[in-house]
Structures are given as C-alpha cells and as structure tokens.
Amino acid sequence: MSDRKPAGQFLDAAIDLLRRVRAEEADGIEAAGTLLADTVENGGRLFAFGAGHSSLAAQDVVYRAGGLALMNLLTVPGVVGVDVMPATLGSALERVDGLASAVLDSSPLREGDALVIVSLSGRNAMPVEMAMNARALGVRTIGVTSVAYASETTSRHSSGTFLRDHCDIVLDSKIAVGDAELTLDTVPAPFAPASTVVTSALMQAMMAAAAGALADRGIEPPLLRSGNVDGGHDWNGRVLDQYRDRIFYQR
C-alpha cells in the first residue's frame, strides 16, 4: 500500500498499470509471442524500433541476457534515445514525413520478418510511416502504444492515422495522455512517468510468450545467457554463430 509519499504513490501507480496490462492485454501478448515464434520458425528475422524514450523499451530486448538472440534494433540516427544535441532535435525528427521510408529502404528488413514498433503516443510521422511501409514490404508488425492517444489527441501524420491503425497486433500500455502519474498542489506540472516501466514489461512478456511458444513446438528458443555467469560467453558464442545470418548487431 502507498505510504502517501510521492515515491510510494508512483510505485503503486506503476503496479496498478502492470496489473491492468496483465488482465487486459494477456491475449494480445500471447498473440504477439506467437507471431514472433512463427517468424523464427519460418526463418525470418526480428526487429524492434522506438523513438526517443520509447527506444529504451526497444533496446531492452536486444542482445539481452535471457532474451531472444534474433531481436535486432532498427536504428534511426538522431532518434534513438536522447543521443543528439539539442535533445529536441530527436523529437523534431519523429515528425518528419518520409524519414521512415528512407530508413526502411536502407535497412535489412525484408518480407517474412517481424517488426515491433514502440511509440507511446503513436501519433508522429515516424512510427506511423514505419508501420505502413513495413507492412507494404510484407513485414508483420506489432505496435506497443497507448491507445488513449488515438482518442484524446490528433495524428501528426498526413493520413490522420495512428500507429495502432497499421499493425497486425496492438498492445495497449494503458498509459494516460501526458505520461505522468502524479499531481500535487505544490508542484505546477504532472510528474512521475511510468511508460518505460510498463512498456518494458510488455516487451519482456512478449519475448517470454515467444520463447514458450517455440518450446511448445519442440524448437529450442535462440536465447542468450548472461556473460557474467560461468559458461555464458561460450553459450552465446554458439548461439550467435548458429544464427549469424539473422543477427545484425554484431556486424
């Protein structure tokens, strides 16, 4: 229970969101895991993309101990995290029409692959076009977003659509518009965002579902182990070598 201090209130809010996601998104998570497992079984490659802070959840499933070795990060210079100066440039790039097309044209994505697109609002040109163009290439798409934005804000893409409108599967993070869980009379703005906590949990739940689905089919999931446990490096070396034609982060 909350100790009525902001830190405790935030943790309670995050836990409540995770409980909602578990209850309301269970079928979608299993469907997403199945889609990823299908892609692995059929020889496809896995990719994740996120812009700004949404990139944190995408990066969290790439080259990760306990994660699928086949998950690759689709990067866009200036958009991954807050790696540019000024940081506001990254936000501006998300709104540039046509940039996603150029990224996909120069990426290794091909028909039969799967792409997880993480965007809290799902309203900017980058995630919308990423999903639209990926599907046109024959790539299966999973969107991880807050569906609330589609009803409470307007799209920034010329089509007037949101990320959720162009994905094979959509997982709703349940994050409220504005991404701030707390308010206080003594603080002039809402604060304490929970989107990274919840979205990362959704991503890891999806990876767990994929690993379980592969195991149910008698296929050993291509998982990585921690390099900080005995034998981890040797294990990872074998996995990376076995799937080297489907892994792009070590080139």
Side-chain angles (χ1 to χ4, degrees):
M1 296 179 65
S2 173
D3 58 8
R4 305 188 68 83
K5 293 182 179 180
Q9 291 171 11
F10 170 75
L11 291 172
D12 283 347
I15 290 168
D16 288 344
L17 283 165
L18 289 171
R19 285 175 173 157
R20 280 193 64 196
V21 164
R22 180 178 182 177
E24 299 172 19
E25 297 301 306
D27 290 344
I29 291 169
E30 289 300 318
T34 298
L35 187 155
L36 296 180
D38 291 344
T39 303
V40 173
E41 183 177 12
N42 295 328
R45 293 87 57 81
L46 309 178
F47 295 85
F49 167 80
H53 286 94
S54 291
S55 179
L56 297 175
Q59 293 180 61
D60 193 44
V61 296
V62 177
Y63 189 55
R64 178 64 188 264
L68 294 173
L70 273 60
M71 184 60 70
N72 301 277
L73 185 67
L74 184 63
T75 60
V76 179
V79 174
V80 180
V82 287
D83 61 337
V84 293
M85 291 291 287
T88 51
L89 175 60
S91 298
L93 289 173
E94 287 187 66
R95 300 193 291 271
V96 175
D97 290 341
L99 182 55
S101 298
V103 170
L104 288 177
D105 288 345
S106 60
S107 79
L109 268 169
R110 67 187 185 193
E111 184 177 0
D113 291 344
L115 172 62
V116 182
I117 303 172
V118 185
S119 175
L120 177 61
S121 72
R123 68 190 297 228
N124 289 312
M126 176 68 72
V128 173
E129 290 185 358
M130 191 74 73
M132 293 174 66
N133 294 335
R135 292 185 80 181
L137 292 172
V139 173
R140 302 294 301 280
T141 57
I142 300 169
V144 183
T145 186
S146 169
V147 171
Y149 277 83
S151 59
E152 299 181 36
T153 69
T154 57
S155 171
R156 287 175 172 159
H157 187 254
S158 57
S159 66
T161 60
F162 288 76
L163 169 63
R164 72 168 193 172
D165 299 316
H166 305 285
C167 294
D168 296 293
I169 296 172
V170 175
L171 300 181
D172 183 6
S173 64
K174 317 297 180 181
I175 299 295
V177 173
D179 191 18
E181 294 301 316
L182 303 184
T183 58
L184 282 176
D185 292 341
T186 54
V187 178
F191 61 104
S195 61
T196 302
V197 174
V198 178
T199 303
S200 291
L202 272 169
M203 295 291 283
Q204 293 298 347
M206 188 194 320
M207 298 301 112
L214 287 168
D216 288 343
R217 303 174 192 185
I219 300 171
E220 181 179 328
L223 296 169
L224 295 172
R225 289 187 172 182
S226 171
N228 295 313
V229 299
D230 292 342
H233 285 299
D234 291 338
W235 171 282
N236 292 342
R238 289 192 295 271
V239 173
L240 294 174
D241 183 64
Q242 180 180 353
Y243 292 98
R244 61 184 178 274
D245 59 329
R246 297 157 75 178
I247 295 172
F248 300 91
Y249 51 77
Q250 61 176 356
R251 299 181 180 184

